[in-house]
């Protein structure tokens, strides 16, 4: 989103000021050597964005100099702050309280319960209180999923089939007290009944409380935690009735948390008892899902996010890609290269053949010298491939086959 949102802002003829507490956190250049799109705004303004009063004060100063039309963030950890700044400046944006509920997984569960939506059993406990953790686990039952209320990218989300695994997962979480943006974390752990079934996401946008659903994406999972996103395809390989059931459930959940404006990415699992919400993200989908949708439908969700932030009615072009043979892509997929082990990358072989494949839209891989982690979350990827296909549901097999053709060699030596 850090590259897609600036691109959309520029394409819509707007300009942006980038407000950040740590400009040095963001790269100056993209891997191809061009300036990072976040650096192409009017200015980079430094302020303590982890403190709402300071962030608001900085926004007011920018607003006094050059009036602001909208407020957006590319980082999950600042979604509530962006909504509050927009609200305080009288600009378009979602109800800040609803964003706060959607960004906290325990508050989301409570809101869905109050609304009467079918939910997995769930309970919270202080992360450092073994007695209450044990009681929460007894209320939920094994197998269960242990997760933080306030992180993303699958960080510290673990399945536990017994007390020992749960205790270890909670211990690991309690040692991660501050997130990657220097914010102190909620010292609470959320336990949820393990939901068995394939996983999907519903991509929507809302204006004046009216929900427009663009489509359903499917998700493949794997990695060391079993919950790492290894790929997505759009549209999802789903029958009409099942798809309608997922969409209705997602739209009900969006209403239940009170989201009334902006782009929303809702994750669900389709269990034997029906669709169940995993989480509701008040922002466009990540992991290149918005690019898959753009290739197939022409709808560009980052652009819609910007249009909505500016208070405009989204009317992004319904322009689809054309394949080299003149046909339209009916499906697009992304497949991730997830490390099978920790270590320093010595070589990645096969990347050129992948890039040259006619169905590949983009592909990128880490360079030798990169330090691979154990593949426990979505931050560990070694690369990804996006494919398009003229066959309905055809893109995923292509993307997976191409990623599996890549050979990764580990070692201390970096090849020249
Ligand atoms: N109750 C559950 N039952 C089964 N699987 C679950 C459950 N909760 C979470 N998961 C799995 O763990 C993954 C990550 O969980 P979740 O989406 O809540 O965390 P996250 O860190 O916000 O993820 P991301 O930011 O990558 O979307 C889910 O996509 C799902 O595969
Ligand atoms: Mg998620």
């Amino acid at each position: 989103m850090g590259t897609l949102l600036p691109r959309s802002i520029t394409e819509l003829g707007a300009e942006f000021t980038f407000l950040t507490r740590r400009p040095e956190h963001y790269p100056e250049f993209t891997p191809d050597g061009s300036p990072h799109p976040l650096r192409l705004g009017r200015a980079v303004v430094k302020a303590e964005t982890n403190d709402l009063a300071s962030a608001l004060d900085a926004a007011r100063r920018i607003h006094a100099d050059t009036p602001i039309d909208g407020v957006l963030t590319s980082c999950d950890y600042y979604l509530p702050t962006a909504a509050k700044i927009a609200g305080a400046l009288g600009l378009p944006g979602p109800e800040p309280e609803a964003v706060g509920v959607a960004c906290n997984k325990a508050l989301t569960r409570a809101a869905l319960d109050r609304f009467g939506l079918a939910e997995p059993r769930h309970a919270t406990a202080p992360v450092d209180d073994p007695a209450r953790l044990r009681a929460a686990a007894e209320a939920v039952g094994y197998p269960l999923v242990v997760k933080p209320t306030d992180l993303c990218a699958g960080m510290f989300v673990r399945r536990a089939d017994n007390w020992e695994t749960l205790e270890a997962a909670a211990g690991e979480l309690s040692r991660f007290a501050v997130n990657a943006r220097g914010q102190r974390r909620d010292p609470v752990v959320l336990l949820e009944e393990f939901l068995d079934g394939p996983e999907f996401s519903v991509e929507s946008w809302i204006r004046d409380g009216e929900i427009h659903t663009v489509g359903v994406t499917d998700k493949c999972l794997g990695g060391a935690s079993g919950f790492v996103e290894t790929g997505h395809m759009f549209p999802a390989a789903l029958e009409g009735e099942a798809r309608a059931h997922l969409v209705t459930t997602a739209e009900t959940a969006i209403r239940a948390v009170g989201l009334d404006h902006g782009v929303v990415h809702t994750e669900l699992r389709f269990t034997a008892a029906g669709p169940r919400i995993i989480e509701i993200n008040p922002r466009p989908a990540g992991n290149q899902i918005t690019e898959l949708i753009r290739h197939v439908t022409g709808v560009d969700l980052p652009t819609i996010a910007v249009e909505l932030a500016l208070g405009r009615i989204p009317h992004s072009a319904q322009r689809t890609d054309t394949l080299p043979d003149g046909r339209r892509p009916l499906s697009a997929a992304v497949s991730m290269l997830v490390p099978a082990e920790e270590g320093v990358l010595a070589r990645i072989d096969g990347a050129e053949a992948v890039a040259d494949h006619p169905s590949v839209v983009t592909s990128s891989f880490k360079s030798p010298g990169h330090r691979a982690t154990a593949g426990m979350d979505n931050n560990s990827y070694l690369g990804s491939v996006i494919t398009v296909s003229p066959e309905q549901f055809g893109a995923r097999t292509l993307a997976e086959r191409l990623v599996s053709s890549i050979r990764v060699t580990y070692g201390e030596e970096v090849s020249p």
Side-chain angles (χ1 to χ4, degrees):
M1 264 328 116
T3 59
L4 296 176
L5 289 176
R7 178 178 79 182
S8 298
I9 292 170
T10 309
E11 282 175 7
L12 287 168
E15 290 182 311
F16 65 92
T17 297
F18 178 33
L19 178 61
T20 172
R21 65 192 292 268
R22 271 190 77 213
E24 64 278 15
H25 179 84
Y26 298 87
E28 296 219 13
F29 299 99
T30 58
D32 70 9
S34 53
H36 193 284
L38 275 173
R39 310 251 166 208
L40 297 177
R42 295 173 62 87
V44 179
V45 173
K46 190 171 169 177
E48 183 43 87
T49 48
N50 286 346
D51 173 56
L52 180 63
S54 307
L56 190 52
D57 186 51
R60 284 196 204 282
R61 273 185 277 118
I62 297 166
H63 195 45
D65 181 52
T66 316
I68 301 172
D69 299 307
V71 184
L72 281 160
T73 178
S74 62
C75 174
D76 280 22
Y77 300 138
Y78 294 105
L79 287 164
T81 306
K84 286 177 193 159
I85 293 175
L89 297 184
L91 301 172
E95 175 56 51
E97 199 184 319
V99 175
V101 171
C103 289
N104 180 299
K105 292 178 210 289
L107 295 180
T108 304
R109 287 283 177 230
L112 301 187
D113 285 344
R114 279 197 302 277
F115 208 76
L117 209 77
E119 284 261 88
R121 286 186 304 279
H122 58 91
T124 54
V127 70
D128 286 325
D129 187 333
R132 287 181 60 189
L133 201 55
R134 211 183 262 276
E138 272 158 27
V140 172
Y142 295 101
L144 52 79
V145 174
V146 187
K147 51 188 189 181
T149 60
D150 57 0
L151 289 176
C152 50
M155 290 175 74
F156 299 97
V157 179
R158 304 282 182 264
R159 175 180 162 141
D161 290 355
N162 51 48
W163 167 249
E164 287 68 35
T165 324
L166 166 57
E167 195 182 26
E172 197 191 6
L173 187 55
S174 76
R175 289 188 288 280
F176 191 75
V178 174
N179 73 16
R181 294 296 183 277
Q183 300 167 336
R184 190 146 287 280
R185 293 198 39 259
D186 186 9
V188 160
V189 65
L190 173 62
L191 306 184
E192 292 182 358
E193 170 190 354
F194 177 79
L195 296 166
D196 202 6
E199 193 159 327
F200 301 91
S201 54
V202 174
E203 323 303 339
S204 321
W205 58 272
I206 316 165
R207 191 171 189 277
D208 291 335
E210 194 183 328
I211 305 172
H212 304 255
T213 287
V214 173
V216 181
T217 314
D218 63 24
K219 181 188 285 200
C220 293
L221 294 149
S225 70
F227 295 142
V228 179
E229 294 175 352
T230 56
H232 304 276
M233 180 170 67
F234 185 91
L238 261 181
E239 298 306 319
E241 209 175 305
R243 183 189 181 282
H245 201 172
L246 277 170
V247 170
T248 315
T249 308
E251 292 185 350
T252 307
I254 289 170
R255 286 193 191 94
V257 298
L259 285 171
D260 56 350
H261 193 91
V263 176
V264 184
H265 165 70
T266 309
E267 298 178 327
L268 309 93
R269 279 200 170 197
F270 213 126
T271 72
R276 294 289 181 272
I277 298 290
I278 295 284
E279 60 159 349
I280 307 162
N281 294 288
R283 48 137 174 105
N287 247 354
Q288 314 196 58
I289 289 173
T290 59
E291 289 293 274
L292 306 183
I293 297 171
R294 192 170 61 86
H295 289 304
V296 176
T297 68
V299 173
D300 187 51
L301 283 162
T303 298
I304 292 179
V306 178
E307 289 174 305
L308 290 170
L310 293 170
R312 298 185 191 171
I313 297 172
H315 60 270
S316 68
Q318 302 277 314
R319 174 174 33 83
T320 55
D321 284 8
T322 309
L323 296 169
D325 62 5
R327 289 191 288 173
R328 269 188 54 204
L330 290 185
S331 87
V334 60
S335 189
M336 313 298 178
L337 181 61
V338 180
E341 55 184 285
E342 277 180 332
V344 176
L345 289 196
R347 300 169 57 97
I348 288 219
D349 290 303
E352 274 175 28
V354 166
D356 291 343
H357 192 281
S359 68
V360 171
V361 186
T362 53
S363 63
S364 75
F365 297 97
K366 295 286 186 200
S367 306
H370 172 79
R371 193 166 284 279
T373 59
M376 293 297 273
D377 58 44
N378 302 342
N379 298 318
S380 65
Y381 300 141
L382 299 181
S384 65
V385 176
I386 293 186
T387 56
V388 287
S389 162
E391 312 294 333
Q392 179 116 42
F393 316 139
R396 183 206 278 146
T397 323
L398 280 168
E400 286 178 350
R401 188 159 48 78
L402 289 163
V403 164
S404 66
S405 73
I406 299 287
R407 290 283 155 258
V408 181
T409 312
Y410 292 87
E412 289 308 318
E413 291 303 310
V414 175
S415 60

